[in-house]
Amino acid sequence: MASVLVASNRGPVSYTVRDDGSLDTRRGGGGLVSGLSAVASEGAAEDGLWVCAALGDADREAVRRGVAEPGVRMLDIDPEVYADAYNGIANSVLWFLHHHLYDIPREPVFDAAFRRRWESYRAYNRAFAEALAEAADDGAAVLVQDYHLALVPGQLRALRPDLRIAHFTHTPWASPQYLGMLPDDVHHELVEGMLGADEVGFHTRAWASAFLADPLVERAADATRVAVHPLGVDAGELRALAHRPEVDERLAALRAEVGDRKTIVRVDRTELSKNILRGLLAYRELLTTRPEWRGRVVHLASAYPSRQDLEVYRAYTASVGELAERINEEFGTPDWRPVLVSVQDDFTRSLAAYRMADVALVNPVRDGMNLVAKEIPVVSDAGCALVLSREAGAYEELRADALTVNPYDVTGTAEALHEALSMPAPERADRTKRLAAAATALPPQRWFLDQLEALRAL
């Protein structure tokens, strides 16, 4: 039995099948992994357990063979149920609602197919709730993560009223008007699921306020505490990663390609909310209206493919590459390529670009936090000016030292890029120091422990 439990769709380990049929284990990174390790290192969770889903065939094979890492329980959920819950609801409905992404004249459509997928989402959450109820010690602390598992707190509360339950949402929370698009019964079920927690947490006051503004929450939230825990970055770990030999090599190659030109850096998944296309349009407008920057700046863009099993994401990823190429064709010269875009998952290149950044461009239309806005100032070699969307969660903490923009205003973003490129080096260095300090105020381990301590204190 476990006294501290974490539940998330993706766990700290994944498996692949080797050619000889044996299983290879790969341990992930990130804030949750660091956080759970912190709990264990302090002796608070020697009997801790992380419950997660088997994400692919190799993970499911590991479950069937009884292969498991200490402190991890992977759930083998029916692949069709998982696909409906994960892609059909979590990523195609809840993600779109919380990020305000719907093309309203056409979407959403809540029909019989949606109802079938919602049943799968309910069953997927129920599998987690039952696994947690079975494994939790009396009065255990359970920390449920993200919009994939929004129903778990309510389901778990019904099974184990003795538990202390927290839910943390890593995305924004939809405005009442947007969430009100859901069918009434589904809206009620979603809110009741969240309010099964003793504490619901968000990255910013803006997202917490959006949750509290829902009339259903206002009427039923007496027993649930709403808290703000803004996740930061681990400066030491990030800097160590950014100065590995392979990053130094990639940095040298990029510097040779860029020359002595200034750099505008962005690193994102090709996620609709990240607003990569308007960022590229702003860069094109900068080159159009400020011709003095032609030949003197390079836009280093890393765009990791995201959710390529969904057509809308495949089309968006293709559009990013096409627009970058059009900019290069319009403005490029034999010795200057205005945009160097990498549409692949290449963390080494991203870290090298971080270190080169004179300007960091982070312009999402809506983002729960956006750690890239915090990471680049921490590792930029010469300091960077941050152009930051006011709709990023990081805006609350970084706004004082960033150049903030309306993410829909391409002209305004182009002007902010000009201001950032023109910023005197001493001012840029001072801003970078303050940005880095704010970015590292609540690193992952402290972020996790704060939530655990708050839950235990209730």
Side-chain angles (χ1 to χ4, degrees), residues 192-214:
E192 287 172 1
M194 294 285 287
L195 294 179
D198 297 289
E199 176 178 297
V200 294
F202 300 91
H203 282 303
T204 74
R205 289 169 293 178
W207 312 143
S209 296
F211 178 76
L212 288 168
D214 188 320

Side-chain angles (χ1 to χ4, degrees), residues 87-107:
N87 279 330
I89 297 296
N91 288 343
S92 294
V93 176
L94 298 181
W95 180 274
F96 275 65
L97 285 172
H98 289 324
H99 289 86
H100 294 184
L101 291 177
Y102 277 123
D103 178 5
I104 299 301
R106 296 178 176 83
E107 299 172 311

Side-chain angles (χ1 to χ4, degrees), residues 310-326:
L310 299 177
E311 169 57 29
V312 65
Y313 281 83
R314 291 196 298 273
Y316 189 79
T317 301
S319 295
V320 168
E322 290 165 3
L323 179 54
E325 189 54 39
R326 287 202 300 273

Side-chain angles (χ1 to χ4, degrees), residues 96-230:
F96 275 65
L97 285 172
H98 289 324
H99 289 86
H100 294 184
L101 291 177
Y102 277 123
D103 178 5
I104 299 301
R106 296 178 176 83
E107 299 172 311
V109 175
F110 298 125
D111 54 9
F114 163 79
R115 293 285 179 174
R116 175 182 56 78
R117 291 190 290 267
W118 184 259
E119 288 177 9
S120 293
Y121 181 77
R122 185 187 298 126
Y124 159 80
N125 276 251
R126 171 67 63 172
F128 274 85
E130 290 174 350
L132 292 164
E134 177 185 328
D137 203 351
D138 291 344
V142 182
L143 297 102
V144 182
Q145 303 299 311
D146 229 355
Y147 61 102
H148 312 91
L149 302 176
L151 303 184
V152 167
Q155 294 173 338
L156 183 57
R157 177 69 63 206
L159 295 170
R160 290 288 304 273
D162 62 299
L163 300 179
R164 296 182 181 184
I165 305 168
H167 186 283
F168 192 90
T169 300
H170 294 265
T171 64
W173 189 263
S175 68
Q177 294 79 9
Y178 240 79
L179 209 60
M181 294 179 191
L182 286 170
D184 290 348
D185 60 320
V186 173
H187 186 183
H188 277 266
E189 187 175 358
L190 181 67
V191 170
E192 287 172 1
M194 294 285 287
L195 294 179
D198 297 289
E199 176 178 297
V200 294
F202 300 91
H203 282 303
T204 74
R205 289 169 293 178
W207 312 143
S209 296
F211 178 76
L212 288 168
D214 188 320
L216 296 182
V217 174
E218 288 181 322
R219 290 196 292 268
D222 293 342
T224 301
R225 179 176 180 264
V226 178
V228 174
H229 300 281

